[in-house]
Amino acid sequence: MPKLSLIIKADLLSGLRWARRHVYAWLILSPIVLGMTYLISTRVIENARDWAVPDFSLRPAAAIVVLTLIGTSLSRVAIELFGIGHPRSQFDALPVAQSVQLHAAIFIRAGRTLVLTMALLLIRQRLGGELASSIPLAAAFVALISLTELLAAITWVHWRHTQTVITAVSSLAILTPAVMIAGSLLSEIIASSHNESRLTPTSGGILAAAILYATLRQCHQRWRATDVDYAKRLLTAVKRAPLSSRLFTRRLSASAAAQLVRDLQLTLRAFSSAVYAAAGTACLLIAVEFVVINSRFFPFVFKMEGWLDLTWLPAAMAAKFACVLASATLASILPVLVGHELPHLWLERAAGTAGLDMFEAKLRYARLVSLPAPVAAWLIVLASSQIPISYAAPLLAECLFLWLLVSSFMGALAFETPERTGLSLLMMMLTGLALGLLSSFIWPIGLIIFGVASRSFTERGRMRARYLLLKGAD
Amino acid sequence: MSDWLLRVDGVTKRFGRLIAVDGVSLAIAGGEVYSLVGANGAGKSTLIRMITGISEPDSGRVFISGEDLSHRLPGTKRHLGYLPEELVLYERLTGQEYLRLVAGLKETDVGQIAGEIEYFELAAVQNKLVGEYSLGMRKKLGLAAAMIGGAELLVLDEPLNGLDVEMMRKLRERIERERNRGRAFLISSHVMSFVERVSEQVGIMKAGKIIAEGSPIELRALSGMADAQFEDVFFHLASGQGIGNSG
């Protein structure tokens, strides 16, 4: 226990010093971002107060959210667990028991999950639910989700290392019920209409967490030392790729093109599990668009009085929403990529790279990586035959404009808080979604915003990139 | 053979098809300095990572002070001090705070910290964040952390990288002093003059194997280059010339 407290104290002290050096981010930026999030979410909740989600769809949806959470965090959790690139990696050579290292990883993971759970509790309170009765449930959720993430990460690395079928099957056998129970707990936390006793799900969650803990401890004890080298290679892997920077040198400088090619190569080789999660979620959103269009689920009905009104056709709106959501989802890989590349920034510095080139590379990356979204969203609506053929080309133009708007503004924010991936992701998603969804309804507003604000956003992005090159992230 | 502080028995490590370390055996007694030399990718750092228990061999065993490392008992690591080649430190802890953390994890007297800070000339920067340290200062901090705890076996991977000449000399003197007190060293280095000067035993690694082993004088004799620079002796032996026995 004293060794665990020493490790945790070192991590906390380190985090605290980071916070002290970034007072601006905490005092100015965070209240703005958190305030915007709060206002938007409370507004959505207020509007959705009378909307009851049927039980049968809430639980699977919650399980999908949990699965996405696990998928998104897989690389990061593996890095935490094996201490890759972290001073904890050297504790293996010190008289520190493996269980202490595991407990430190659980503590760190639980701390991160706690933030998400507190946000969920806040939403629950806004929906009219009682906060006190949800706390044991939330504690069980934090424990269960943290342990599930850690077990998923360790079994993922072991399976990739050994490629044994038994590892894959046994992992799935344990993780699938864990995800379902976690999904069930999540739905209990956010469902406001439920007044029944929460003792059963809480007890179930705690029991599942205890089983997961015992399994995780066994796996960690058996596999950590054998898999640590493989994990290091897996999570910092560099392989060959066929992309050439000559593809981009017509529009970009050689330096920016080289950076863009590197970024695309890293993405194609899934530098982080966030790539899988973003691609999976984008596909899911396009699938939802298909279902919505073909089931005529869309709630808006407009009276069409002219050709321009076609922009508000339910099917067209569904396509535009899907385009914005999928574009933002795909572009959200960018902050993860920037965080991943930070330790290697010495290369750009040593090579005398200009901030402008660094910014241009990231901006183009955000656009390129999200380009499939408008095309897919448009093809789905076109195939459904629910829009007049004369409107096909204008709708494609609208989708492409929405993609350009979302990806450009998200790309411009790439270097705002490069060392805080979570904050950066939140800020970019909020900006991209707010602008994109607003412009989906009234595209001329989007045109005005793009014309007025894009230049200042771009200029700010260039300055941030230049600052990062000169001063560093920390 | 419990008088060996380190005994490595037929250790092998594979990365996919690549055999990084291939059946290596070696032994180091108390008061002995053993140096591992070899080209990049020869398997030195992989072998060291297995000796320090950071990674596990696919086959073979490592004994430290007679205790089998594969039992993963934390107590076994108390006999070990380690300076990794790739130093990853807490950037936002001060040098002194970092050493206190290491001392705490080694369950040793924090009173040693002041002595190590003084020896490695870190007094002026001990209250500065590690993130502000130069490469040389970081290396000195890593060396101080390895020395804390009075471990019998010290494993130093590339200890000279980033050190100035004066500190290199001080480190050599420290190694000689600690050796005389019965501590053993396993050193991986590319600086042949340093290796020749401090080592009782030198193992030349190539493609995961120890291809030649012996004292610097024995290696000179093996190569037939009595008066040449030790670097030339290394190149001669590493190229496979004049080697009758392999480790």
Side-chain angles (χ1 to χ4, degrees):
Chain A
M1 204 58 188
K3 287 186 185 177
L4 179 63
S5 65
L6 275 173
I7 295 171
I8 291 169
K9 197 176 144 191
D11 273 336
L12 288 178
L13 192 60
S14 216
L16 205 66
R17 290 213 171 117
W18 177 89
R20 212 166 57 191
R21 291 186 67 164
H22 293 77
V23 174
Y24 168 78
W26 287 106
L27 290 184
I28 311 290
L29 219 50
S30 295
I32 292 172
V33 171
L34 291 175
M36 278 170 69
T37 313
Y38 184 75
L39 283 175
I40 291 170
S41 55
T42 49
R43 188 74 199 161
V44 169
I45 290 162
E46 287 296 325
N47 290 345
R49 195 169 281 279
D50 300 328
W51 183 60
V53 183
D55 264 355
F56 68 86
S57 67
L58 183 62
R59 287 191 179 178
I64 289 171
V65 169
V66 168
L67 204 60
T68 310
L69 202 65
I70 292 167
T72 317
S73 60
L74 212 53
S75 297
R76 190 184 175 89
V77 178
I79 287 169
E80 284 171 10
L81 192 61
F82 290 97
I84 293 161
H86 193 277
R88 279 197 306 277
S89 63
Q90 286 156 27
F91 294 170
D92 283 315
L94 296 174
V96 178
Q98 282 202 349
S99 59
V100 172
Q101 303 218 40
L102 175 64
H103 291 147
I106 293 174
F107 181 85
I108 291 161
R109 191 88 308 256
R112 294 186 196 279
T113 317
L114 189 64
V115 178
L116 170 81
T117 312
M118 281 166 70
L120 286 174
L121 284 175
L122 198 69
I123 290 171
R124 177 170 168 70
Q125 197 189 22
R126 292 293 308 178
L127 281 166
E130 199 197 331
L131 198 63
S133 67
S134 299
I135 287 174
L137 196 67
F141 177 71
V142 170
L144 186 61
I145 200 87
S146 309
L147 292 165
T148 310
E149 283 178 325
L150 286 160
L151 188 62
I154 200 165
T155 50
W156 173 59
V157 171
H158 188 69
W159 174 73
R160 289 286 302 261
H161 187 192
T162 58
Q163 297 282 318
T164 49
V165 178
I166 190 140
T167 308
V169 173
S170 52
S171 308
L172 284 176
I174 297 168
L175 291 171
T176 308
V179 167
M180 288 167 75
I181 296 169
S184 170
L185 289 182
L186 179 62
S187 64
E188 287 287 337
I189 291 172
I190 54 176
S192 60
S193 57
H194 291 187
N195 290 320
E196 68 264 29
S197 164
R198 292 197 155 79
L199 189 65
T200 313
T202 307
S203 318
I206 291 169
L207 182 68
I211 294 168
L212 280 184
Y213 173 73
T215 315
L216 176 64
R217 208 172 158 153
Q218 280 291 320
C219 294
H220 189 259
Q221 183 71 22
R222 285 178 61 192
W223 297 339
R224 184 190 159 88
T226 53
D227 289 346
V228 67
D229 282 318
Y230 181 79
K232 193 176 174 188
R233 285 150 62 94
L234 176 70
L235 295 161
T236 55
V238 177
K239 300 170 195 163
R240 284 191 211 102
L243 275 173
S244 165
S245 59
R246 271 180 291 177
L247 283 169
F248 306 108
T249 43
R250 280 184 64 187
R251 289 295 197 96
L252 293 169
S253 70
S255 166
Q259 290 175 70
L260 179 57
V261 166
R262 174 201 56 193
D263 295 348
L264 292 172
Q265 282 171 336
L266 285 171
T267 309
L268 288 173
R269 285 156 200 162
F271 68 93
S272 157
S273 57
V275 176
Y276 294 120
T281 312
C283 289
L284 201 68
L285 288 165
I286 298 298
V288 169
E289 179 202 348
F290 176 81
V291 172
V292 163
I293 290 174
N294 289 287
S295 61
R296 296 170 185 275
F297 175 80
F298 217 69
F300 305 109
V301 178
F302 294 96
K303 191 182 172 191
M304 301 300 151
E305 289 180 346
W307 189 77
L308 281 174
D309 289 342
L310 291 173
T311 190
W312 290 305
L313 271 176
M317 289 304 294
K320 287 191 279 184
F321 277 12
C323 168
V324 169
L325 293 170
S327 297
T329 304
L330 290 172
S332 71
I333 302 170
L334 181 57
V336 186
L337 178 74
V338 171
H340 176 80
E341 288 176 351
L342 269 186
H344 315 293
L345 206 64
W346 60 267
L347 183 62
E348 277 88 341
R349 289 199 184 104
T353 305
L356 174 67
D357 288 337
M358 200 163 90
F359 172 77
E360 281 296 324
K362 291 294 178 280
L363 183 67
R364 301 298 171 114
Y365 172 84
R367 286 176 183 167
L368 275 176
V369 85
S370 57
L371 185 56
V375 179
W378 179 71
L379 284 174
I380 292 285
V381 75
L382 200 66
S384 72
S385 308
Q386 294 210 18
I387 55 161
I389 197 71
S390 60
Y391 181 55
L395 180 61
L396 176 63
E398 276 189 75
C399 286
L400 286 172
F401 169 66
L402 290 170
W403 153 76
L404 185 70
L405 184 77
V406 171
S407 60
S408 299
F409 277 90
M410 286 180 75
L413 293 169
F415 297 108
E416 276 304 314
T417 54
E419 73 284 16
R420 305 305 283 177
T421 306
L423 186 64
S424 186
L425 184 68
L426 189 63
M427 204 158 58
M428 287 167 73
M429 285 297 271
L430 278 174
T431 309
L433 290 177
L435 291 175
L437 293 175
L438 180 68
S439 307
S440 303
F441 279 107
I442 314 162
W443 56 262
I445 287 185
L447 275 177
I448 293 166
I449 293 170
F450 194 74
V452 172
S454 72
R455 182 179 285 270
S456 55
F457 261 69
T458 306
E459 206 47 52
R460 163 109 188 142
R462 285 173 183 164
M463 278 172 57
R464 291 292 304 165
R466 205 175 302 141
Y467 180 81
L468 182 66
L469 276 175
L470 288 173
K471 302 279 182 185
D474 199 14
Chain B
M1 292 291 285
S2 58
D3 52 338
W4 297 120
L5 278 180
L6 171 70
R7 190 156 63 85
V8 178
D9 281 349
V11 158
T12 297
K13 182 78 179 178
R14 290 183 185 85
F15 295 124
R17 287 182 181 176
L18 174 78
I19 303 176
V21 175
D22 190 2
V24 167
S25 297
L26 61 89
I28 307 175
E32 189 176 88
V33 178
Y34 188 110
S35 289
L36 276 174
V37 294
N40 292 332
K44 304 185 299 292
S45 289
T46 305
L47 177 62
I48 283 176
R49 282 169 65 80
M50 288 189 285
I51 288 170
T52 52
I54 290 177
S55 74
E56 220 163 59
D58 294 330
S59 62
R61 284 184 163 188
V62 177
F63 297 89
I64 294 174
S65 292
E67 294 173 24
D68 190 343
L69 203 59
S70 67
H71 294 157
R72 296 176 190 163
L73 298 171
T76 310
K77 307 273 178 73
R78 291 210 179 93
H79 306 292
L80 192 76
Y82 173 47
L83 170 78
E85 182 187 10
E86 203 180 322
L87 261 176
V88 190
L89 304 164
Y90 281 96
E91 303 289 318
R92 286 182 286 271
L93 291 189
T94 66
Q96 195 187 55
E97 284 167 349
Y98 178 72
L99 292 179
R100 278 180 177 273
L101 170 68
V102 173
L105 295 176
K106 287 185 174 180
E107 294 174 354
T108 193
D109 178 21
V110 290
Q112 290 179 28
I113 294 172
E116 295 301 344
I117 282 178
E118 194 185 348
Y119 190 85
F120 287 104
E121 299 169 4
L122 290 165
V125 292
Q126 62 176 315
N127 292 318
K128 278 192 176 178
L129 296 184
V130 173
E132 296 168 18
Y133 280 26
S134 67
L135 175 64
M137 287 176 195
R138 295 167 76 90
K139 187 63 91 176
K140 287 192 263 184
L141 185 65
L143 281 164
M147 296 287 179
I148 282 173
E152 297 101 313
L153 173 67
L154 284 145
V155 181
L156 311 179
D157 197 353
E158 299 295 348
L160 303 181
N161 282 2
L163 295 185
D164 57 36
V165 181
E166 195 183 334
M167 189 43 74
M168 280 187 196
R169 186 188 173 90
K170 261 187 118 169
L171 179 63
R172 183 172 52 76
E173 287 169 0
R174 179 73 186 267
I175 289 171
E176 285 165 356
R177 202 172 76 202
E178 297 295 340
R179 176 180 55 191
N180 295 338
R181 287 177 183 167
R183 288 172 104 174
F185 286 83
L186 174 64
I187 296 171
S188 163
S189 180
H190 293 295
V191 184
M192 295 300 158
S193 56
F194 176 82
V195 166
E196 185 180 22
R197 202 152 171 189
V198 298
S199 315
E200 270 76 39
Q201 291 283 310
V202 178
I204 299 177
M205 279 194 85
K206 188 179 179 183
K209 291 181 177 176
I210 293 184
I211 56 165
E213 191 179 37
S215 69
I217 296 168
E218 285 168 345
L219 291 178
R220 279 183 179 281
L222 189 65
S223 68
M225 301 168 77
D227 299 322
Q229 296 277 325
F230 196 66
E231 196 176 85
D232 296 327
V233 173
F234 162 71
F235 280 124
H236 186 79
L237 292 171
S239 64
Q241 300 170 50
I243 298 172
N245 63 323
S246 78

